[in-house]
Amino acid sequence: SLRRSQCRDARADLSFNNIEKIEGLATLTKLTDLSLFNNLISELEGLETLQELSALSVGNNQLAALEGIMYLRQIPSIRILNLAGNPVCETHKEDYRPYVLAHIKDLRYLDYRLVDAGSVQGSRDRYQDAILEIEEGEAVVQKKKDKEAKDAEHAKFNAAANLSGVEELFDTMIAEGLRDGVGLEKEEHTAAYHVAHAKRMLAEMNA
């Protein structure tokens, strides 16, 4: 678990903790620097909410799958990445660095080494077809997310507009009752009941 002594402002140091699974970090959305160095982690996970993370060290762990590194595409803010000392670096010695540079955008340092533009371009050329397919898939997913967000905002706006309309109707009914001076108490009670019911329904819609 993340102890207060291990977290200072936007930095967290969880190195040398025998951690097997990355978890419990989802709410720390302001983290910019995270060290999980020298643990027992075999899979990259539980980090996708850390959208301000710029430096990540997962060196000296048990990461073995080259494809698993693709997970980090979900955190485009990463500029400094350390994966050195994982099995993936040895078992895929020829492919490891080009693969990471091709699939993880805008890195400045990888495993303590400065990333140069030429290496990135060469790596992307090497995996060009795969990268194109991945980016097209990501574009489709992002478009769907944008539509869902827009629909949710539209529904929220309509719900607020409907509530406003109900309140205006209530005010009108009360005003007419006062003007006519007849059946006011009964009309007021009935209108109040329906307004309260409408408010509850709209509140549930917005929840």
Side-chain angles (χ1 to χ4, degrees), residues 4-179:
R4 186 180 298 248
S5 62
Q6 294 170 307
C7 186
R8 289 289 181 271
D9 300 322
R11 299 180 180 182
D13 185 356
L14 296 172
S15 54
F16 298 93
N17 269 289
N18 293 319
I19 296 170
E20 297 181 4
K21 181 181 177 65
I22 303 174
E23 56 188 353
L25 302 175
T27 60
L28 303 178
T29 56
K30 297 300 181 182
L31 275 183
T32 60
D33 189 330
L34 173 62
S35 177
L36 291 161
F37 185 79
N38 209 88
N39 283 291
L40 302 171
I41 298 165
S42 59
E43 181 180 357
L44 292 170
E45 59 186 334
L47 301 172
E48 61 271 13
T49 60
L50 310 184
Q51 290 297 305
E52 295 185 18
L53 193 65
S54 61
L56 173 65
S57 175
V58 202
N60 281 21
N61 275 278
Q62 302 299 318
L63 300 174
L66 196 60
E67 296 77 12
I69 297 171
M70 275 254 293
Y71 169 83
L72 297 177
R73 286 180 67 88
Q74 298 180 64
I75 317 170
S77 56
I78 294 177
R79 297 293 177 268
I80 301 172
L81 177 62
N82 176 33
L83 298 168
N86 281 283
V88 67
C89 302
E90 291 300 318
T91 56
H92 300 278
K93 188 173 294 186
E94 298 300 321
D95 299 323
Y96 162 70
R97 190 173 179 87
Y99 184 92
V100 176
L101 294 182
H103 291 82
I104 309 303
K105 297 180 180 179
D106 302 322
L107 287 180
R108 294 176 184 168
Y109 287 89
L110 174 60
D111 299 343
Y112 313 109
R113 289 169 54 192
L114 183 66
V115 172
D116 64 273
S119 296
V120 173
Q121 189 58 54
S123 298
R124 286 185 66 84
D125 289 344
R126 178 175 174 178
Y127 293 95
Q128 183 176 4
D129 293 340
I131 292 293
L132 182 60
E133 185 177 345
I134 291 166
E135 290 179 345
E136 287 177 349
E138 289 174 341
V140 171
V141 172
Q142 187 59 50
K143 186 175 181 180
K144 182 180 179 182
K145 287 182 179 179
D146 291 344
K147 185 179 184 303
E148 290 174 349
K150 185 176 181 180
D151 289 346
E153 187 64 27
H154 186 64
K156 186 176 181 180
F157 174 81
N158 286 341
N162 289 338
L163 179 56
S164 176
V166 169
E167 290 176 335
E168 288 177 7
L169 176 61
F170 178 46
D171 292 340
T172 300
M173 292 175 68
I174 295 300
E176 289 178 351
L178 288 171
R179 184 188 64 211

